[in-house]
Amino acid sequence: MRPLVWPLLIATLAAAMYLSRIAREMPDFDVNRTAAVRLLDAEPLYRPADAPDRFLSLPVFAIAMAPLAILDAETAPVVWFAVSVGLLMALVRWSVSGLPARQQSRLALSWITVIFMGKFYAHELTLGQASILAGALLVAGLLAIRIDRPVAAAVLVSLAALLKPYALILVPWLVAGFGWRAAAVSAGVLFAGLVVPAAIYGWSGNLDLLAAWYATVTATTAPNLTSADNVSFAAMWAKWVGPGRAAAALAATTAVASLGVVVHLWRRRGLTEEPEYLEWSALMLLIPLLSPLGWDYVLLLATPAVVCLVDRWYLAAREWRAFIGASLALMGLTLLELMGRDLYARFMAASLVTVAALGVLACLVHLRYRQLA
């Protein structure tokens, strides 16, 4: 019975959390389920009248949600919440299990990671979003790389990209390490995901859907750049210097520089025997920062990076230990309940979570230079 203790305990806590609070919320799940209901009736998915709660995912995600559209409105969110909790457990467990040369115990590393990342996990579950699913797919892709299965990794990355398009930044990494076969597989999966709604809407109808998706995403980007919960580079500069060309140029420069850091990590990969985990973690960390609509809860994709830093913390240089702790705390332990509404609002308006995430990226660079990951 021992292996069942933790899953049962977590399931009990999840049920209590759902019944006490989440049963009355999950607004994003309602948006996604509504899209799935419309898809089953071959109705338009993207409607300006839905604002501000508009469906922003690609049409194929509505197909993935179709089984939940068949369920009644009370049962569907319970099923989605249960699936999300299970995927969250997998995300943390796989992130810990995939770490090479692990220094800490699996249990301790898992719980410390949950403490640092808990606010992102809770926000995701409360909204009923699908970022946990994307994260689980990407970490599964990392595990596939660890067992030398790049084609499987390419498939998993592409599936995640159909949920979070900026996950495509992992494809060049796959190409650099495993050749153009990975790119071809990714392209095939992406193409299939884009065209499969044609089975319901027809070819021209599917093209109209994709055009409506693009128009919806671009139309909703600018109004949300100064939202407190937006942690992207674009939002950071829009908050600091005001929306406009200057902010866009600075955001693009920051994005290119951050990707350059990952390229630098790649060039220094000879410093360690198993470099894949750290590089993959850095790219996952960047996904919510590169996306103009990078909401704070999408930073749950930084889970592997947090696992790596927590595990190697005591091996880092003394001054870097303080910096690692400060970056992780600033990113993950700054809670509304602890800071108060006014201080938290000023903290988010200053994009300090984004600054902390850049600090986490700098800490990963330090681990590479210390030959720790």
Side-chain angles (χ1 to χ4, degrees):
M1 295 295 293
R2 185 176 179 182
L4 298 177
V5 171
W6 282 111
L8 288 174
L9 176 61
I10 292 174
T12 302
L13 291 174
M17 181 181 178
Y18 180 85
L19 293 173
S20 64
R21 178 179 178 182
I22 296 178
R24 300 187 297 273
E25 300 188 25
M26 297 180 69
D28 289 349
F29 171 77
D30 291 338
V31 170
N32 295 332
R33 184 176 178 275
T34 297
V37 171
R38 291 173 178 173
L39 177 133
L40 293 178
D41 295 328
E43 297 178 356
L45 303 181
Y46 308 97
R47 304 180 185 183
D50 291 336
D53 299 320
R54 300 171 73 174
F55 183 62
L56 298 177
S57 299
L58 284 163
V60 68
F61 184 58
I63 294 179
M65 294 292 289
L68 294 176
I70 299 173
L71 299 176
D72 63 77
E74 294 183 355
T75 303
V78 179
V79 173
W80 180 252
F81 183 77
V83 169
S84 297
V85 171
L87 289 171
L88 176 58
M89 292 176 61
L91 171 64
V92 176
R93 183 177 179 84
W94 293 346
S95 297
V96 172
S97 299
L99 181 66
R102 179 164 45 86
Q103 304 294 309
Q104 309 296 326
S105 73
R106 180 175 294 157
L107 184 61
L109 193 52
S110 297
W111 278 110
I112 294 173
T113 299
V114 169
I115 290 172
F116 277 118
M117 301 296 286
K119 78 169 186 179
F120 304 126
Y121 299 155
H123 196 183
E124 165 85 3
L125 292 172
T126 301
L127 291 174
Q129 258 288 347
S131 303
I132 289 176
L133 173 57
L137 289 170
L138 290 175
V139 174
L142 174 58
L143 295 182
I145 291 295
R146 300 274 292 125
I147 61 173
D148 196 26
R149 296 291 186 272
V151 171
V155 172
L156 291 163
V157 167
S158 300
L159 291 175
L162 292 171
L163 294 174
K164 301 291 179 184
Y166 280 81
L168 289 174
I169 63 172
L170 285 155
V171 174
W173 186 93
L174 286 168
V175 173
F178 302 98
W180 289 99
R181 184 183 179 190
V185 171
S186 294
V189 174
L190 289 170
F191 179 77
L194 293 175
V195 303
V196 69
I200 298 173
Y201 290 91
W203 287 105
S204 61
N206 185 48
L207 291 176
D208 291 340
L209 272 184
L210 293 173
W213 167 78
Y214 180 78
T216 300
V217 171
T218 53
T220 55
T221 296
N224 287 302
L225 283 181
T226 55
S227 173
D229 293 334
N230 193 334
V231 297
S232 67
F233 292 142
M236 179 181 73
W237 286 110
K239 294 173 187 176
W240 286 357
V241 304
R245 292 184 178 179
L250 289 167
T253 302
T254 308
V256 171
S258 64
L259 290 172
V261 169
V262 179
V263 172
H264 184 65
L265 289 174
W266 169 274
R267 292 171 63 88
R268 305 287 295 186
R269 64 190 345 236
L271 296 176
T272 181
E273 293 182 359
E274 299 178 281
E276 297 86 1
Y277 190 99
L278 183 138
E279 295 160 8
W280 194 279
S281 300
L283 288 169
M284 285 185 63
L285 167 67
L286 288 179
I287 290 173
L289 305 181
L290 294 173
S291 171
L293 294 177
W295 304 112
D296 63 342
Y297 55 84
V298 187
L299 277 171
L300 65 86
L301 298 180
T303 296
V306 173
V307 166
C308 189
L309 289 173
V310 170
D311 186 69
R312 305 299 203 265
W313 178 82
Y314 81 101
L315 297 174
R318 181 179 301 175
E319 61 276 12
W320 276 92
R321 293 180 199 170
F323 188 67
I324 291 171
S327 296
L328 294 179
L330 193 63
M331 185 176 75
L333 298 183
T334 44
L335 305 173
L336 171 65
E337 293 78 7
L338 296 177
M339 301 174 67
R341 189 171 300 278
D342 291 340
L343 180 59
Y344 183 78
R346 291 197 295 270
F347 176 83
M348 295 300 291
S351 286
L352 294 182
V353 170
T354 310
V355 174
L358 287 172
V360 170
L361 180 62
C363 294
L364 294 176
V365 175
H366 174 69
L367 293 189
R368 176 55 51 90
Y369 270 83
R370 291 275 293 185
Q371 304 179 28
L372 297 175

